[in-house]
Amino acid sequence: MKLQKVTVAAAAALMLSLTAAGCSSDGGGDTSSGDKKVTIGIKFDQPGIGLKTPDGKYTGFDVDVATYVAKELGHDRGDIVWKEAKSADRETLLQRGDVDFIAASYSITPKRAEKVDFAGPYLLAHQDVLIRADDDSIKKPEDLNNKKLCSVTGSTSAQNVKTRIAPKAQLQEYGGYSECLTGLENKVIDALTTDNVILAGYAAQPEFKGKFKLGGFKMSNENYGIGVQKGSDLKAQINTALEKMVKDGSWAAAVKKNFGPANFQSGPAPKIGVIVS
């Protein structure tokens, strides 16, 4: 009887340890072993960058980059759990381990790098303007003086233009980029400003094809990186995946696929670890 009791106890202990091991994944750990699921933070509302469509699909350059990286880390597309990463929530999502990594038009800055680590950069964006395709009155940033410039609530892009480049620009505050685009199309405003890749993503949408164009102004440098937890081994693994994506042509294909309809010229892929100020 004593032997039976010991055997049952040992079996119970073994089952308990197996159960605990199966539940130990925390979103910020090693994604190459154990639980095959990987949780990735992206934007849900930026066409061409990261968009959740009405039918529940995910599209955009960041989505393509993240999917490629996940594959290199050992995950099939079906292993990916997409999580919305709003700008204000990104550091918190990583610090809490709610996501394994974030690819969400995430500019690398010294302040953010104090809280999280960044792989990349994988894309160099610039602040630009979107104008109507038939508007030839805005050929340089200074031409925004006396023009109605769309500012999305909570964004500093338009204010930066007014402060540093075109002090006579007339800022028009809207609730979102879609409203700005409607105003631009209806000639209520003259220009919309934010990162050029975000603008190109909107301009590339079928309903806007041929209606808008980018000014081609490089008013700032935005180094997009993939955020990971501070000290995570994933940084090095993701950098290796990004280098491979550029080398095998997948990076260029993703740029053409997501931004090509807007005639966007991205330039070459940035070098890993090189931040352009």
Side-chain angles (χ1 to χ4, degrees):
M1 292 296 292
K2 288 183 179 180
L3 178 61
Q4 182 180 14
K5 287 181 180 180
V6 170
T7 302
V8 171
L14 177 61
M15 289 299 293
L16 183 60
S17 65
L18 290 174
T19 301
C23 298
S24 62
S25 179
D26 65 354
D30 182 4
T31 68
S32 62
S33 62
D35 187 0
K36 287 291 289 181
K37 293 295 183 183
V38 58
T39 303
I40 304 173
I42 58 169
K43 290 294 181 67
F44 278 14
D45 60 353
Q46 289 182 343
I49 301 291
L51 180 70
K52 182 178 181 180
T53 63
D55 59 357
K57 295 180 180 179
Y58 301 90
T59 66
F61 182 74
D62 282 351
V63 173
D64 290 341
V65 170
T67 301
Y68 186 100
V69 168
K71 183 179 179 181
E72 291 301 305
L73 294 176
H75 302 280
D76 296 328
R77 183 180 292 269
D79 299 331
I80 299 174
V81 177
W82 300 108
K83 188 175 183 66
E84 184 173 20
K86 295 181 179 179
S87 295
D89 299 334
R90 291 176 296 201
E91 286 83 30
T92 301
L93 288 172
L94 287 168
Q95 291 174 326
R96 289 194 314 216
D98 294 340
V99 294
D100 292 294
F101 62 86
I102 289 179
S105 54
Y106 203 0
S107 295
I108 302 171
T109 68
K111 185 176 181 180
R112 290 169 177 166
E114 292 176 359
K115 300 179 180 179
V116 301
D117 281 343
F118 286 98
Y122 63 91
L123 186 68
L124 179 61
H126 308 281
Q127 185 178 345
D128 200 353
V129 296
L130 192 69
I131 56 181
R132 288 182 293 277
D134 60 357
D135 186 352
D136 295 323
S137 66
I138 302 176
K139 297 181 179 180
K140 58 184 183 298
E142 291 77 12
D143 291 337
L144 293 168
N145 279 306
N146 300 312
K147 296 291 187 180
K148 294 179 179 178
L149 181 64
C150 186
S151 172
V152 174
T153 304
S155 170
T156 60
S157 296
Q159 187 63 53
N160 288 340
V161 172
K162 185 175 178 66
T163 301
R164 299 187 297 106
I165 299 170
K168 295 183 180 179
Q170 302 171 28
L171 300 189
Q172 307 289 314
E173 190 171 77
Y174 283 73
Y177 290 117
S178 296
E179 294 174 47
C180 284
L181 287 165
T182 299
L184 186 59
E185 184 177 14
N186 296 333
K187 299 185 178 182
V188 176
I189 62 170
D190 300 304
L192 161 62
T193 184
T194 186
D195 294 355
N196 54 2
V197 291
I198 296 175
L199 297 174
Y202 278 105
Q205 298 306 294
E207 64 268 33
F208 297 130
K209 190 174 182 179
K211 294 183 178 180
F212 306 124
K213 64 182 178 181
L214 277 75
F217 312 147
K218 295 181 178 180
M219 297 184 284
S220 72
N221 293 320
E222 306 295 337
N223 299 268
Y224 285 7
I226 293 181
V228 299
Q229 278 189 348
K230 201 73 176 173
S232 173
D233 293 338
L234 282 179
K235 176 180 176 178
Q237 297 176 49
I238 292 173
N239 279 337
T240 299
L242 291 174
E243 289 172 342
K244 181 178 179 181
M245 185 178 187
V246 172
K247 188 175 182 179
D248 69 15
S250 298
W251 184 90
V255 169
K256 183 177 181 180
K257 168 189 169 186
N258 292 290
F259 307 127
N263 296 317
F264 172 70
Q265 303 296 322
S266 70
K271 292 184 178 180
I272 298 299
V274 178
I275 307 300
V276 181
S277 59

